Amino acid sequence: MELLEAIRRRKTTNGHFLPDPVSVEHQQLLMELAGRAPSQLNSQPWRFVLIEERPTIEEIARLSGASMTQAMSDGTFFERYRRYFRFSEEEMQTRRDGMLFDHLPPLLRPFTSQVFTARGQKMMNALRVPRTLGEENRKLVAGSPLLLGVLLDRAEYRPGELSSFYSLFSMGAAMENLWLATTELGLGIQFVSFPMEVPGNWQLIEKLLDVPDELELMAVYRLGYLPPEQRRPAIDWSSNHRKLPSQYVFRGTCATPQTGWDS
Ligand SMILES: Cc1cc2nc3c(=O)[nH]c(=O)nc-3n(C[C@H](O)[C@H](O)[C@H](O)COP(=O)(O)O)c2cc1C
């Protein structure tokens, strides 16, 4: 696969993976490519933990599902991220960013306009939406053959100092190398981030993974081979839209948006 094609085809998978273990060869390749990323003064502040142990995956899945149910039923999730949620193609065409919820059970469709209201929250809880989504999330994570923990060396990652920006930037670059490679290898990848939304749950994962004091757990991903037919979860979104160049590129100074490149 050409690099440019891999960049254009790279995406997040919000669906089930095949149960097949990720080959050791592919795991080794993903780690090699992540390690080729740029970092300040070649400090390579990233560390990775590859997780195939079922009990650990099941426990992280349980925490992820429970965190999603809690964050959705107490409204914090919608409050925190409402500005990214889109419910119509028209809105998405205008904004060209965020998540378009274009796959919803018929029962929920009439209520999308109320999702962010107290009444909407009450109705969603009554319809057990947070519980259903949480359980679906648990199954997605539990059904993944491989989880990947991404950590930073605290000697490099010192919040409040310039080094923390450098380390986060380098970690992002390492993950993008890995993310791009999944496209070539027929793998899917998705953040497992809901445990970050509920105080205390992230620390439970750090304990589960035996994270030492000198490292900080920054993210967890689920990975697996993509099934030929990808069945969409009951509530699903698409986020393939991107801003037009005139919306994020400037020419000469920020006073002059780049024109003539929008297609
Ligand atoms: C810092 C960061 C956090 C993210 N958190 C989540 C997440 O919690 N769940 C998820 O499904 N995707 C998550 N994503 C993936 C984004 O939603 C996704 O990259 C964006 O919607 C564009 O879609 P694409 O990756 O398919 O191009 C995250 C991406 C980044 C860079």
Side-chain angles (χ1 to χ4, degrees), residues 99-261:
M99 320 283 275
L100 175 61
F101 284 84
D102 54 0
H103 192 71
L104 290 170
L107 185 64
L108 281 184
R109 285 189 203 132
F111 302 106
T112 53
S113 59
Q114 297 173 47
V115 166
F116 305 123
T117 64
R119 185 160 172 271
Q121 182 70 56
K122 218 155 157 257
M123 186 263 315
M124 281 204 293
N125 290 356
L127 290 170
R128 299 167 67 83
V129 172
R131 195 173 292 279
T132 309
L133 285 175
E135 177 53 16
E136 187 141 319
N137 178 270
R138 184 196 67 73
K139 285 188 193 142
L140 278 179
V141 179
S144 307
L146 179 69
L147 298 186
L148 175 72
V150 184
L151 309 106
L152 282 176
D153 178 353
R154 287 184 196 274
E156 300 296 336
Y157 177 59
R158 301 189 298 275
E161 295 182 31
L162 195 47
S163 75
S164 73
F165 161 71
Y166 289 148
S167 300
L168 289 171
F169 189 101
S170 307
M171 178 184 78
M175 281 313 301
E176 183 65 0
N177 280 4
L178 189 149
W179 211 317
L180 289 170
T182 61
T183 317
E184 165 90 13
L185 303 176
L187 287 163
I189 182 169
Q190 184 181 33
F191 260 90
V192 177
S193 63
F194 271 98
M196 290 176 170
E197 304 286 342
V198 176
N201 282 1
W202 196 245
Q203 289 71 15
L204 290 175
I205 295 183
E206 286 190 318
K207 201 157 176 296
L208 198 59
L209 300 179
D210 211 4
V211 176
D213 293 345
E214 57 271 21
L215 297 180
E216 176 142 359
L217 182 66
M218 304 302 290
V220 171
Y221 294 82
R222 63 185 194 95
L223 292 94
Y225 294 109
L226 294 170
E229 301 290 320
Q230 285 177 46
R231 185 172 52 78
R232 301 188 74 180
I235 295 179
D236 193 20
W237 64 78
S238 58
S239 55
N240 198 36
H241 303 72
R242 292 295 187 273
K243 289 183 183 307
L244 298 168
S246 63
Q247 293 177 300
Y248 66 97
V249 184
F250 300 97
R251 173 65 61 178
T253 73
C254 297
T256 317
Q258 174 66 51
T259 53
W261 289 2

